[in-house]
Amino acid sequence: MDRSTLTGLILIFAIFAGSFYFMKPSEQEIKQEQALQDSLKRVKEGVTEPLDTTKITTTLSSTSPDSAALAQPFGASKFGQEQIVTIENELIRVNISSKGGRVKSVELKNETNFDGSPLLLFEGDNNKFGLLFNASGLNVNTNDMFFQLQGGNFSVAGADSQSIKARLNYNETQYIEYTYTLAGNSYNVGLAIDAIGIQNSIDLKQKNILLNWETTLLQKEKNVKSEREKSTIFYKTSEGDVDHLSEAKDDSEKIEEKLEWIAFKQHFFSSILSNKEGFTNPELFVNYTTSDSIVKVYKTTADLAFNSQSDNRYAMNFFFGPNKYKTLKAEDQGYDKIINMGWGPIGWINKFITVPIFDFLDGFHMSYGIVILILTILLKAVLFPLTYKSYKSMAKMRVLKPQLDQIKEKVGDDNPMLLQQEQMKLYKQAGVNPIGGCLPLLLQMPFTLAFFFFFPNLFELRGESFLWVKDLSTYDSWISFPPTFFGIDHISLMCVLMTITTLLTTWYNNSTSGATGQMKYIGYFMPLIFFFVLNSFPAGLNYYYLLGAVFTFLTQVIIRQFIDDDKILASLEANKKNPKVAKKSSFQQRMEDMMKQQQQAKKK
C-alpha cells in the first residue's frame, strides 16, 4: 500500500465519519419519529401502549354497578377492588392479582437489576393475561374482571407444594377457575384453568376460546441496546423445532402448527408458557421500541380447543427464571435452545466442549476471571500443535523470501503470470505450502467464534466482578462521556488493553515473518476496527480476547527461540535435490499449464 493509497483511505474514512456525525438527526427528532412509528405499529397490530409504571395504582372500578350491568354475563365480576396474594419459595416470589386472576409480578429473589433494585419479570399492569370469548352475545375478557381469591399468602420449600385458586363466577354452577401451584426450589408455577358450566352460555358454533398474553419488558441490564438485540419471542412446534421472531426489528408471525410452548425471552431471563394440549393458531408479535427503559413489547394470541358439550380443563405451566443453560437444560423441554450458542460447528463446540468444561471449572467456586483464565490456557494448550505448525510454515516462507525477491527482480512486475509461475515452482521444489501458515489459523477460527457467542450469553457472568470490572456480562466504563462519534459514550479499559496487545502481536508477527505490502498494514487496521466493534461488548469477552492475545504473543516468542532459520533453509535446499519432491502433482501441472496458456494468450 503506497503513501497515496493510504492517504486516500484516511480521507474517505474521515469524510464518511464527518458526514455521519454532522448529518445525523437530533435526539429529539429521533424520539419523535420513533414515537410516531411505535404508535402506528401498535394501532396496526393491536399491541397495547406501554404503561407508565410510575402511575400504576390499585385498580378500582370507575363506575358503580347497576342492574343492567349485573344482568350481563359475569356482570358482578366487572366491579370490585384489586387484592393481591403472594406465594413464594426459595427462588421466586409471585404476586397473584384478583383483577384478571393473573400473575401480576414475579420477583427472582437471588437476582437484581443493574442498578441494584429487585428484579421483576412481570411488572404490574404492564402485563395482560386472560381468555377472550363470547357469552350470551357479549364479548368477555377475563383480564378485565375481578376474580375471587380462595386462599392466602404462603411459602413453600424443599419437596413441599401448595396451591391457590382464583374463581371468576357467572353463577354458583358456572365459573372459570385458575389454580396456581408452586413447589419448593423451582422456577415453575403450574396453572390449571377449569371452565365449568360456561359451555351452556357459549354459542355451540364456537369451537375455541382465545388466550391473550401481553407484556412490556422493562430494562434490567446496563446496556439496554444489547438487551434489545438479544430479546425476542421463541417458540417450539409440536414437531420439536425451536424458532424465534426477529431480534432486530418489529416482527409478527402466524404459526400454522401447534406450539408446545411460547417464551417471552429477555436477554438473561425468560417467562415461558407451556400447554400439554398445545396452542392452536398462535399469532406472535414483537414491537421493537427505543423508548427509555423499555426493551420491547410482546403479544401472543392462541386458540384453546373448547368442547361445547362438557366442562373444559387446560393444563399449563409458567417458567419464570434465568437463561442459564444448565437450568434450562434440566427442564427437559428444549428451553435451552433459546440461548444462542452459535450456528453449525460453532454451536456444537459450545454445547459439547465449552459448556461442560466451564461447568466443571465452575464447580470449584473460583472467581469467574480465574475460570476464564484457565479456560483460555486449556484452549491454547489444545491448539498449540496447530500454532506451532503455522509458525513453522511462516518460518519457511521467511527464509525463502530472499529467493522470492530474486525471482521478482529477474521477472519484473510486468508479467504477473510468469512471476506467479516461477514462485510456485520454487515452492514445489523446496516443499513449501504457501498457505500452510494460514490453514492452522483457519482451523482455530471456529473456537474463537464460539466464544464470541458463548460469553455474551453466559448468565453466570451477570453481576460478577473481577479486578476493576464490576460486571463481566457488560462493558466496563473506564471513561464515560456524552454520546459523540458513532454514538460512543464510553471507553472500555479491557477493550483498550486487548487492542494494544493485539497490535503488539501484529508488530511481532510482521517483524519475524517479513510481511510486506498491504497485508502488513491490514494487520494494524483490523485491531483498530475491532476496538469500535467490541468497545460495548461484555468485559468477559474482551478479557478472554485479551488473554488470547497475550498467550499468542508469548507462544510466538517461545517458539521463535526453538526455530533455527539456518536449519530450515538447509532442509529446504535439500528438498530441491530430492527427485520425489521435484515431481509435480497433477493439480500443479494443470495450474502451470493454465498459466502458460494465459501467458501465450497475453503475448498474442
Side-chain angles (χ1 to χ4, degrees), residues 187-201:
Y187 292 106
N188 292 283
V189 178
L191 170 60
I193 301 178
D194 292 290
I196 307 298
I198 66 170
Q199 69 273 9
N200 300 325
S201 302

Side-chain angles (χ1 to χ4, degrees), residues 1-13 521 525:
M1 181 181 294
D2 56 27
R3 184 176 180 179
S4 299
T5 303
L6 180 60
T7 303
L9 287 174
I10 294 175
L11 288 174
I12 291 172
F13 181 77
Y521 294 101
F525 274 116

Side-chain angles (χ1 to χ4, degrees), residues 72 341 514 564 571 598:
Q72 294 176 354
M341 288 290 186
D564 190 328
S571 174
Q598 292 178 349

Side-chain angles (χ1 to χ4, degrees), residues 403-439:
Q403 299 181 42
L404 293 171
D405 291 340
Q406 291 177 4
I407 293 175
K408 185 176 182 180
E409 184 178 352
K410 179 180 177 180
V411 176
D413 296 329
D414 299 333
N415 197 338
M417 294 299 299
L418 180 60
L419 176 62
Q420 187 177 12
Q421 182 179 346
E422 292 298 322
Q423 289 176 340
M424 291 295 293
K425 182 178 179 181
L426 176 62
Y427 292 146
K428 180 63 179 177
Q429 290 176 344
V432 174
N433 184 351
I435 62 173
C438 299
L439 287 177

Side-chain angles (χ1 to χ4, degrees), residues 143-163:
N143 182 80
D144 299 329
M145 297 187 170
F146 290 89
F147 286 61
Q148 298 298 319
L149 297 178
Q150 301 176 7
N153 301 338
F154 67 78
S155 178
V156 293
D160 296 336
S161 65
Q162 197 167 335
S163 299

